Amino acid sequence: MPIDPVCGMEVSEDTGLKVEYSGKVYYFCSPGCKAEFEANPEKYIRMEGMKDHHHSHGGHGHSHNRHHMGGCHH
Ligand SMILES: [Zn+2]
């Protein structure tokens, strides 16, 4: 089963949603993914090669001090 390079899911070859790019054929789960790939193929091709991209920028950037007081009205 080929892998949709955009969303990473397995797709069937008979959907007809395929794009040939630099000598390789890529298959897609939906026209949306196909369009996404066509808009930016380099991005997705590069992703395929480097499966583990661990960007560890020291410390995590999101703060947990969100005090929502009375945020939900029913
Ligand atoms: Zn997809």
Side-chain angles (χ1 to χ4, degrees), residues 4 6-9 11 28-30 33:
D4 179 332
V6 177
C7 64
M9 66 183 267
V11 289
F28 304 92
C29 69
S30 66
C33 281

Side-chain angles (χ1 to χ4, degrees), residues 12 24 35 48 51:
S12 137
K24 277 194 73 175
E48 201 183 48
K51 288 235 164 74

